[in-house]
Amino acid sequence: MAQELTFDTKKPENAFREQRIDPLRRGERGNRELTVSIASKGIPYDLTGCTVRFVGTTGTGQLVGPTEIEVANATAGMVRHVLPAEMSTDAGLAHWYYEIYKGENYLDTTESCSVKVLQNADIGGQQATLYIPILEQAKADEQARTAAETKRADAETARATAETARVEAEKLRAAAETKRVNAETSRVEAEKSRATAETKRDASFTEMSTKLSAAAAAAKAARDDATESATAAKKSKDAAAASALSAGKASDSAATVIKETADAAADARRAAEEARGSISADKSMYFKRITDKNGDTWPVIVDSTVKGD
């Protein structure tokens, strides 16, 4: 609801001249759009460069504002706004007026206006009941009973459906549990198999390690024996070579000695023969073997009178 009002800064003292707007109900709000013309002794108040503030009190005297409002036409002194909702907070006679400022300077105020705020229904009170004839009440009761029965049947159907769903869910849960148990059993068996395989692997690894160690030891012993044999063979070879060399040297020395001995014996024999000469087989002559300067030898008769027995 829109209303137009005129407020004068002269502020008449006669209370019977106080302006009023149409009454409000307590809690009523947002439905009082006011267009206010501000005058000074009947002449429009020039609001150029000014601000206008709304100041009011509720029916119980509580302050509302100050709140700055819109200046619609400054030279005509016209402002426009909606009555603040706080004005209808309390039942009773609410009042308000306007203040005029230029910057922070307080210039003027207008006369007051009032509005009657009517009491509203007590929402917290006991709810009144409506009188209903017996037949109407019976009909209403039957309708209520039928509706309740329908709701009960629907609820029973819903319960049965929920029970069916619960049973199916229980079956699914049991199947899932069976699968879980089977999976757990398989896992346990797999773990046992793994442990057995791990044990066998450890035993095999230990056995293989033992065999490898034994083979390595045998190979080392064989290698050591071979090394010792090779060393001994080399020593024997070296000794044999030394012995052969010594034997060769000894043989060469013996041959030389034998040859020298034979040569010495021949020379001695020749010398002896040359020294003593020889007697012929019939013992009729004695001769000696003479060697000339060329090394040639021949017998020379020394005596032909030799006679023997």
Side-chain angles (χ1 to χ4, degrees):
M1 180 185 296
Q3 290 187 254
E4 294 182 0
L5 301 170
T6 299
F7 283 70
D8 202 302
T9 58
K10 185 180 177 181
K11 298 180 281 295
E13 297 181 2
N14 189 345
F16 292 101
R17 290 191 56 198
E18 185 179 55
Q19 298 187 77
R20 289 192 179 186
I21 63 173
D22 297 335
L24 295 171
R25 181 71 63 185
R26 184 183 178 194
E28 197 172 348
R29 62 192 66 187
N31 60 352
R32 290 293 188 275
E33 185 177 347
L34 304 179
T35 300
V36 178
S37 296
I38 299 176
S40 177
K41 298 180 180 181
I43 300 173
Y45 199 109
D46 188 359
L47 298 175
T48 302
C50 297
T51 56
V52 179
R53 298 176 185 175
F54 175 95
V55 182
T57 56
T58 67
T60 57
Q62 296 186 74
L63 179 65
V64 178
T67 304
E68 188 172 325
I69 59 175
E70 174 192 359
V71 176
N73 190 332
T75 57
M78 184 181 295
V79 296
R80 184 177 293 115
H81 69 99
V82 175
L83 190 68
E86 293 84 357
M87 294 296 288
S88 61
T89 301
D90 303 314
L93 194 60
H95 302 268
W96 81 91
Y97 61 91
Y98 300 95
E99 295 178 339
I100 303 171
Y101 288 82
K102 193 159 191 177
E104 293 300 321
N105 296 322
Y106 185 83
L107 298 182
D108 226 329
T109 61
T110 67
E111 59 184 307
S112 297
C113 185
S114 62
V115 59
K116 186 176 182 180
V117 180
L118 305 176
Q119 187 62 268
N120 60 346
D122 186 3
I123 303 302
Q126 183 176 357
Q127 189 71 34
T129 58
L130 178 66
Y131 171 75
I132 302 175
I134 294 177
L135 292 178
E136 293 293 331
Q137 184 64 48
K139 183 179 179 180
D141 291 343
E142 180 61 22
Q143 290 176 346
R145 188 194 65 77
T146 301
E149 183 63 22
T150 301
K151 287 183 179 181
R152 189 197 64 77
D154 291 341
E156 183 63 23
T157 302
R159 189 199 63 77
T161 302
E163 180 63 18
T164 302
R166 189 194 64 78
V167 171
E168 293 298 325
E170 182 63 23
K171 289 180 180 179
L172 292 175
R173 190 199 64 76
E177 181 65 17
T178 301
K179 288 183 178 180
R180 189 195 66 77
V181 171
N182 292 337
E184 181 65 18
T185 302
S186 299
R187 189 195 65 76
V188 171
E189 293 298 327
E191 181 64 20
K192 288 181 180 178
S193 299
R194 188 198 63 76
T196 302
E198 183 71 16
T199 301
K200 289 182 179 179
R201 187 189 67 78
D202 292 342
S204 177
F205 180 76
T206 302
E207 182 180 359
M208 182 176 65
S209 298
T210 303
K211 289 182 178 180
L212 287 175
S213 299
K220 183 178 183 302
R223 187 171 64 251
D224 294 342
D225 291 342
T227 301
E228 291 179 0
S229 298
T231 303
K234 185 176 183 304
K235 290 180 178 179
S236 298
K237 180 180 177 182
D238 294 341
S243 298
L245 181 60
S246 298
K249 290 181 178 180
S251 176
D252 292 342
S253 299
T256 301
V257 170
I258 291 172
K259 183 177 182 303
E260 291 177 353
T261 302
D263 291 342
D267 291 342
R269 187 172 59 254
R270 284 195 302 269
E273 288 179 353
E274 291 176 356
R276 66 179 180 86
S278 299
I279 299 175
S280 64
D282 57 2
K283 301 181 180 180
S284 61
M285 64 183 68
Y286 176 76
F287 59 90
K288 293 177 66 174
R289 188 172 294 276
I290 301 301
T291 301
D292 62 13
K293 60 181 182 181
N294 295 325
D296 296 327
T297 63
W298 61 87
V300 176
I301 297 174
V302 177
D303 187 4
S304 58
T305 63
V306 178
K307 294 289 184 179
D309 295 334

